[in-house]
Amino acid sequence: LATAEQPLAVLFPRGHPLAGRRTVRLTDLTQAQWIDASDTAIPLERLRAVCRTDGFRPRIRHRGTDLHGLAALAAAGLGLTALPLSPAATLPGLTAVPVDEPRLVHRTELVHAVHPTATARQLAGLLVDEEAAGDEVG
């Protein structure tokens, strides 16, 4: 079993008043406008459950798994979205601000046989490298 964890971040368009913060509290954003992109980003119903609120209402819906399409919508100011910090920090036109409260992480697990194949070993190595890179960012 290989695992990697990294913090979640909220994506703000550059110039947004909260884009300059070091961290954000998710509960402070319950009434913000969000993008419902459950195939690409953290599902809004999950954010509602974690924060025990009926907030996090979507302004628009994004269907599919096109991360750059989602990023373009967020950068245009059409709503916020939450992603693992590592990919979020690389998207153009956005500022990824880590969530500090509640403490949330995105966890990736690779379950493999006792003697993993070369491909499984390579993927496990990538997970470990990604986790180490995430530790350097945070």
Side-chain angles (χ1 to χ4, degrees), residues 11 14-15 24 29 32 35 42 46 75 80 83-84 89 91 99 102 104 113-114 117 122 125:
L11 298 182
R14 295 224 170 101
V24 292
L29 302 171
I35 300 171
I42 306 306
R46 187 71 193 126
L80 304 178
L83 292 170
L91 297 170
V99 173
L104 299 172
V114 174
T117 64
Q122 183 179 13

Side-chain angles (χ1 to χ4, degrees), residues 102-116:
R103 184 183 178 276
L104 299 172
V105 296
H106 181 267
R107 183 179 179 129
T108 304
E109 294 182 345
L110 172 65
V111 179
H112 55 77
V114 174
H115 301 290

Side-chain angles (χ1 to χ4, degrees), residues 24-39:
V24 292
R25 291 186 329 182
L26 202 53
T27 53
D28 290 344
L29 302 171
T30 59
Q31 299 306 311
Q33 294 182 351
W34 287 82
I35 300 171
D36 182 10
S38 59
D39 292 334

